[in-house]
Amino acid sequence: MPPRAYDALMNNEGPAADGGLRLIPFRGLRYVPERVGSLAAVTSPPYDVVVRPDGLHHLESSDPHNIVRLILPQATTPEDRHHQAAQTLTRWLEEGVLAADDEPALYVYEQRKGDVLQRGVIGALALSEPSDGVVLPHEGVMPDIVADRAALMRTTAANLEPLLLTYRGSGRAVGTTAVIERTVRRSPLLSTTTEDGFSHRLWCVTDAGEQAEIQEDLKRHQAMIADGHHRWATYLRLRAEHTSPGPWNYGLVLLIDS
């Protein structure tokens, strides 16, 4: 479910001046269920854990619209790969395989298998440097991978997959947790079970009061990168290339209370 966050973020200002996490809504770009074989067939693990070549071929053959064709396009040169992803994204939009939501939202995401349950909120997070102490990395990155991811994002003008951040909540059903627990009582926008046995559900939060409740809560927290150090470094690289505020001041994240 790849959100193309750039256009939706053009009118937002820079990071919050008081530190902490600043999460804003965006118009997510989602698969239209009726236009694909199944939602399970168009999902993929993060680009860096797709086993190649067997896992890549399996995903490509599971459905002609599998997201792996955007996050790991196949062509002779890096430039050709990035342009192929951009052309594929444009074609899927024109064909109605993907469609943008009508209004900006934060998204509640749930993953479950047996006793394992993860719930979190997806949004566009204001970027910060490690020295700011807001988003904390704990791994190094390889420059060539950052350069490749940045080129892919520039060419597609899209945030194709979120990174995973964890933060420490209060342990009580308040703030973000309270909104999540109310939200999951409603019917989800999307639900599917992937071949690994995990069920996935997605809801949108469009109510201004609930969005404010989440934002007020998160601005008191810092987060650690659980998965996605190269994507975070890519976000920072793209931001450094621009002198004025814009969509490059934000990155797509999934925030989970640890």
Side-chain angles (χ1 to χ4, degrees):
M1 289 157 275
R4 196 176 196 177
Y6 274 16
D7 292 341
L9 298 177
M10 284 302 295
N11 296 322
N12 287 285
E13 298 176 355
D18 54 357
L21 301 167
R22 184 182 180 215
L23 193 72
I24 66 170
F26 67 101
R27 291 178 62 206
L29 185 65
R30 298 187 288 108
Y31 280 105
V32 177
E34 296 78 13
R35 299 302 308 274
V36 296
S38 73
L39 291 174
V42 295
T43 63
S44 167
Y47 78 95
D48 55 338
V49 298
V50 173
V51 178
R52 285 164 271 187
D54 292 346
L56 179 63
H57 293 159
H58 173 70
L59 292 167
E60 287 181 329
S61 61
S62 64
D63 190 283
H65 303 109
N66 189 284
I67 189 67
V68 78
R69 295 179 185 275
L70 300 183
I71 63 174
L72 280 176
Q74 299 301 293
T76 305
T77 67
E79 292 78 11
D80 288 343
R81 289 197 296 270
H82 304 149
H83 284 294
Q84 179 174 297
Q87 291 168 357
T88 300
L89 179 57
T90 298
R91 185 174 70 254
W92 290 358
L93 285 165
E94 292 173 347
E95 294 174 350
V97 174
L98 297 169
D101 284 332
D102 292 334
E103 56 184 317
L106 297 175
Y107 297 84
V108 170
Y109 169 68
E110 176 191 274
Q111 184 184 65
R112 181 194 291 268
K113 182 180 181 181
D115 295 332
V116 177
L117 173 64
Q118 284 193 137
R119 285 178 181 151
V121 60
I122 296 173
L125 185 68
L127 302 182
S128 59
E129 296 292 338
S131 58
D132 296 330
V134 178
V135 174
L136 308 174
H138 57 90
E139 295 178 1
V141 297
M142 291 180 278
D144 57 326
I145 294 179
V146 174
D148 181 73
R149 290 290 104 183
L152 178 63
M153 286 183 65
R154 281 192 217 98
T155 308
T156 59
N159 266 299
L160 296 172
E161 52 183 331
L163 55 86
L164 174 62
L165 302 180
T166 64
Y167 69 99
R168 183 177 295 173
S170 65
R172 296 178 291 117
V174 296
T176 304
T177 301
V179 174
I180 289 174
E181 291 189 358
R182 292 196 301 268
T183 300
V184 298
R185 297 190 190 108
R186 306 197 301 258
S187 297
L189 283 174
L190 302 171
S191 63
T192 191
T193 299
T194 44
E195 61 183 19
D196 57 5
F198 277 93
S199 66
H200 307 262
R201 297 196 295 171
L202 185 78
W203 297 260
C204 67
V205 178
T206 56
D207 179 81
E210 291 190 321
Q211 291 179 358
E213 192 173 349
I214 291 172
Q215 292 167 328
E216 183 66 22
D217 176 41
L218 291 178
K219 75 179 186 181
R220 296 191 293 269
H221 294 284
Q222 59 182 182
M224 184 177 72
I225 300 176
D227 182 61
H229 284 79
H230 286 91
R231 277 164 281 173
W232 186 256
T234 298
Y235 294 165
L236 295 177
R237 176 169 181 157
L238 292 171
R239 184 183 67 168
E241 294 174 358
H242 299 85
T243 58
S244 58
W248 38 83
N249 287 100
Y250 297 84
L252 185 65
V253 304
L254 166 61
L255 274 162
I256 291 181
D257 183 351
S258 62

